[in-house]
Amino acid sequence: QSHPGGVGGLVGALEQCGLGAAAQSWLSSGPNQPVSVAQIQSALPTAVGQVAAKLGIDPTTAAGHMATLLPQILDHVVPNGQTPADGGMGALGGLLSRLGTAA
């Protein structure tokens, strides 16, 4: 199942897997709710596979990095809950480079 790109697509995918409250916490100024590796793998299987392939790591490791970094990245991509004009695509693209340094 495909989702539109950017922050909206990411949040939509998380909401469909029951992680909407966690995703919304990442977009607000309050504390971020954690997500597990299994939850990221379930909610974002295509993204996990793409990150794993690009970085040459296994999907579980990629999902672990994403579970840690996605909340931090969305905090910065969507300051005060306001999605940038590009839908956050520029900053979401930076996820791969940050994962590359974490891997």
Side-chain angles (χ1 to χ4, degrees), residues 61-99:
T61 301
H65 291 310
M66 291 172 71
T68 300
L69 292 175
L70 275 176
Q72 298 170 27
I73 290 170
L74 287 182
D75 264 348
H76 295 291
V77 173
V78 188
N80 304 317
Q82 300 298 313
T83 304
D86 71 350
M89 288 305 291
L92 286 175
L95 171 63
L96 284 176
S97 63
R98 290 197 54 193
L99 286 173

Side-chain angles (χ1 to χ4, degrees), residues 2 5-7 13 21 24-26 35 43-44 51-53 58 73-74 76 90-91 102:
S2 64
V7 172
Q24 291 302 321
S25 77
W26 306 344
V35 292
L44 306 170
V51 168
D58 68 86
I73 290 170
L74 287 182
H76 295 291

Side-chain angles (χ1 to χ4, degrees), residues 1 3 6 9 11 13 24 30 32 40 45-46 48 58 74 79-82 85 88 91-94 101 103:
Q1 190 172 10
H3 298 281
V11 171
Q24 291 302 321
N32 292 332
I40 289 294
T46 301
V48 168
D58 68 86
L74 287 182
N80 304 317
Q82 300 298 313
L92 286 175
T101 60

